Amino acid sequence: MLYRYLDLRSTRMQHNMRLRSDVAMKMRHFLWKLHGFVEVETPTLFRRTPGGAREYLVPTRQPGKFYTLPQSPQQFKQLLMVGAIDRYFQIARCYRDEGSRSDRQPEFTQVDIEMSFINKEGIQALVEELLQYAWPDNLPSIHLPFPRMTYAQAMDQFGTDKPDTRFDMKLQDVTRELKDSGVAVFSSTEGNDAFVIKAFKCSKGMDFLKRKDYEDLQKEAVKLKDGGVTFIQIKDADSWKSSISKHLRSEARENLGKAMKVNPGDVLCLAAGKPDSVNSLLGQMRLSCANRLEANGASVRDHGSFHFLWVEDFPLFLPKEDGQEGELESSHHPFTAPVDKHKELIMTQPSQVHGQHYDLVLDGSEIAGGSIRIHDAKLQKHVLQNILNEDASSMQHLLEALESGCPPHGGIAIGFDRLIAILAGEPSIREVIAFPKTIDGNDLMSGAPSLLDNEELAVYHIRHDICDATK
């Protein structure tokens, strides 16, 4: 990326940049011309937002005071609903100081949408039609409506809230079949709800997976969870190759074979433990096994079409990572409304509440996320202050706006970079951004970020102790 301006001359980058422009223009036309949306530019200098990702700080000439660059226009688009801009959109620049990955950049673009007097189904239908309208002509057409799945179903069947539905290999509960199997790793003294045995099947996996593949997959599994996974190679009905074969009772083997509908040449991958950890482990191993199979010549994923999926009915709050027992954090953000049937429950048992939150997944990548928002000031203050233990005074501007009269509203943000990367067949969003940053957030071409000396920083009432030799 040191000479990115030369790389942009390549046929590949020319295609990606023109694809990005074409899709953006079609989306603008659909929202503005066909559906009466108003494009509004919101500020990029804002104040710190409670919770969420780490934000970039911008110093000011006022001692000790900083702006932050917004993670998204979330609060502003809600304020626009209060201000009677009832159909808003923006192709917005957003910023998160959380490290770069293949699917993330410190600055990124999202198609931001908000509407008043709308429900989840209305937003989902609009997004489906938007994507169909902006879809490139040279790609396989997409069909509406997109399928839907609850968060609980996604975690149970795929071990992730962003399932890749281009292939099967679903997780299956085999606790009943194996709990009295004679295998120690499948035995537990814990209650039924706290222990589960699950498996997925790689059809004809023995034709493609070699000894080193099993070894590497097991090493990966052990890093994710103590004990890793157990592989069973089904040679035929009476010959199963596995580290547990000699311990597995014949009745348990027969029951497992029927439950998993095994055939000669299949490979089973199993894990046991607490439900959340087992789902997470097997969800990752499902993807890793698919990658290994494809690398060895197997046909696993459907690469001839695009597989969309709405995931909905998320828990509104999750246990806080690295927090004290009982502490909660928002699974989406603190402005998401509870489902109607849990409006009373949020006051007494917030950990049991589901939210009106929905994600759109494409080929295993989350490309959009949104929710119906809280439009009641008292409820919003309760969530911030009593559930999340945040300083509600930092959100006083929003609370006052909600008190002034706010219509029910909701919206969604489409990860534009990620969407374009999938459409272009690129493994990283860096390849669909004209001037991206490195994995460390650096711009190799210009040398940004650059070092400033204390004399230049004095006007911002900041100084640092970095030696001049580091310049």
Side-chain angles (χ1 to χ4, degrees):
M1 288 183 282
L2 183 60
Y3 301 104
R4 184 64 164 189
Y5 46 85
L6 298 180
D7 189 31
L8 288 171
R9 297 176 182 176
S10 69
T11 301
R12 173 192 181 191
M13 291 304 300
Q14 285 286 312
H15 168 265
N16 291 352
M17 292 298 99
R18 294 175 191 278
L19 172 66
R20 183 183 180 109
S21 174
D22 184 58
V23 173
M25 296 299 276
K26 286 180 179 178
M27 285 184 166
R28 271 198 167 97
H29 185 269
F30 176 88
L31 292 168
W32 163 66
K33 192 71 172 179
L34 302 185
H35 289 271
F37 279 76
V38 179
E39 184 171 13
V40 180
E41 297 173 350
T42 54
T44 54
L45 293 176
F46 194 39
R47 64 170 296 156
R48 179 186 171 276
T49 302
R54 185 185 300 131
E55 296 164 318
Y56 283 101
L57 301 178
V58 180
T60 72
R61 294 171 184 262
Q62 302 177 52
K65 293 188 176 182
F66 295 82
Y67 292 113
T68 62
L69 301 180
Q71 304 170 39
S72 78
Q74 180 61 47
Q75 294 181 53
F76 288 110
K77 62 184 179 182
Q78 291 191 246
L79 294 170
L80 287 170
M81 298 302 105
V82 178
I85 306 295
D86 61 344
R87 289 194 164 207
Y88 144 89
F89 88 97
Q90 178 184 188
I91 298 182
R93 298 293 286 168
C94 305
Y95 310 86
R96 290 179 185 173
D97 183 13
E98 56 182 0
S100 228
R101 298 200 310 249
S102 62
D103 61 345
R104 293 197 180 179
Q105 283 275 297
E107 49 183 330
F108 57 96
T109 303
Q110 66 185 38
V111 181
D112 208 44
I113 297 170
E114 198 81 4
M115 304 169 70
S116 293
F117 302 106
I118 192 69
N119 57 21
K120 175 189 68 176
E121 291 75 19
I123 292 172
Q124 290 174 331
L126 176 84
V127 171
E128 291 174 357
E129 292 172 15
L130 169 65
L131 289 169
Q132 189 175 59
Y133 184 86
W135 201 253
D137 295 333
N138 64 319
L139 295 179
S141 58
I142 58 178
H143 305 286
L144 310 185
F146 299 153
R148 285 150 174 75
M149 180 180 292
T150 67
Y151 170 83
Q153 289 172 328
M155 296 303 297
D156 181 57
Q157 297 176 21
F158 297 94
T160 176
D161 59 3
K162 43 181 182 293
D164 187 344
T165 55
R166 289 175 294 175
F167 66 107
D168 196 22
M169 289 169 59
K170 293 179 182 177
L171 313 189
Q172 188 169 329
D173 191 329
V174 291
T175 308
R176 184 176 61 180
E177 287 76 12
L178 292 177
K179 64 180 179 179
D180 297 319
S181 63
V183 179
V185 71
F186 296 149
S187 300
S188 173
T189 57
E190 300 183 49
N192 291 336
D193 293 337
F195 183 83
V196 68
I197 309 167
K198 301 188 80 168
F200 66 82
K201 179 178 69 176
C202 303
S203 296
K204 300 299 179 183
M206 287 185 65
D207 294 341
F208 301 95
L209 294 176
K210 310 305 178 187
R211 180 176 178 177
K212 188 176 186 307
D213 294 315
Y214 293 115
E215 292 174 351
D216 291 345
L217 287 166
Q218 185 62 274
K219 287 178 183 178
E220 179 184 349
V222 169
K223 289 180 180 178
L224 296 171
K225 178 183 178 295
D226 289 343
V229 295
T230 299
F231 287 104
I232 302 177
Q233 301 175 59
I234 313 296
K235 292 186 174 182
D236 57 51
D238 299 315
S239 179
W240 288 20
K241 183 180 179 181
S242 173
S243 60
I244 65 168
S245 293
K246 63 181 180 180
H247 306 291
L248 188 63
R249 293 178 181 142
S250 57
E251 183 181 357
R253 182 174 67 183
E254 183 179 349
N255 291 338
L256 178 62
K258 287 181 179 179
M260 298 302 297
K261 298 179 180 178
V262 298
N263 292 301
D266 292 347
V267 174
L268 300 182
C269 180
L270 302 94
K274 294 183 178 179
D276 288 347
S277 64
V278 168
N279 285 337
S280 178
L281 170 62
L282 290 183
Q284 181 58 54
M285 297 309 296
R286 173 181 177 269
L287 297 176
S288 297
C289 286
N291 292 339
R292 290 270 175 172
L293 289 166
E294 290 190 330
N296 293 340
S299 177
V300 180
R301 294 178 175 89
D302 175 12
H303 293 284
S305 59
F306 293 87
H307 290 245
F308 286 92
L309 174 71
W310 286 108
V311 179
E312 52 194 25
D313 201 22
F314 285 76
L316 189 56
F317 306 104
L318 295 171
K320 190 172 184 178
E321 288 189 23
D322 302 322
Q324 300 292 324
E325 185 176 351
E327 284 190 306
L328 299 173
E329 62 184 1
S330 298
S331 64
H332 187 213
H333 58 53
F335 314 111
T336 299
V339 296
D340 289 340
K341 65 181 180 181
H342 288 170
K343 284 184 177 178
E344 298 300 324
L345 193 62
I346 196 172
M347 298 297 176
T348 56
Q349 294 179 283
S351 63
Q352 304 302 310
V353 174
H354 288 188
Q356 297 190 59
H357 168 198
Y358 34 85
D359 283 349
L360 182 58
V361 178
L362 172 57
D363 293 350
S365 293
E366 179 193 333
I367 64 161
S371 68
I372 301 301
R373 324 298 187 189
I374 296 172
H375 65 278
D376 176 79
K378 290 182 179 179
L379 177 57
Q380 184 65 79
K381 187 173 182 179
H382 173 73
V383 168
L384 290 169
Q385 193 167 278
N386 301 328
I387 298 176
L388 302 178
N389 296 316
E390 295 283 358
D391 180 9
S393 65
S394 65
M395 302 293 296
Q396 193 59 34
H397 57 284
L398 178 62
L399 296 174
E400 289 178 356
L402 296 179
E403 287 176 346
S404 72
C406 180
H409 61 283
I412 196 166
I414 300 171
F416 192 64
D417 307 303
R418 198 171 303 177
L419 171 64
I420 299 301
I422 294 174
L423 297 183
E426 295 288 357
S428 169
I429 64 172
R430 288 194 295 270
E431 303 310 318
V432 296
I433 298 173
F435 298 101
K437 303 291 189 294
T438 67
I439 196 77
D440 298 317
N442 295 318
D443 179 359
L444 299 181
M445 182 184 64
S446 69
S450 58
L451 188 65
L452 300 180
D453 60 36
N454 283 324
E455 185 177 345
E456 294 172 294
L457 292 173
V459 68
Y460 301 113
H461 310 280
I462 297 174
R463 64 175 293 107
H464 59 69
D465 298 324
I466 300 176
C467 178
D468 290 343
T470 62
K471 292 184 181 180

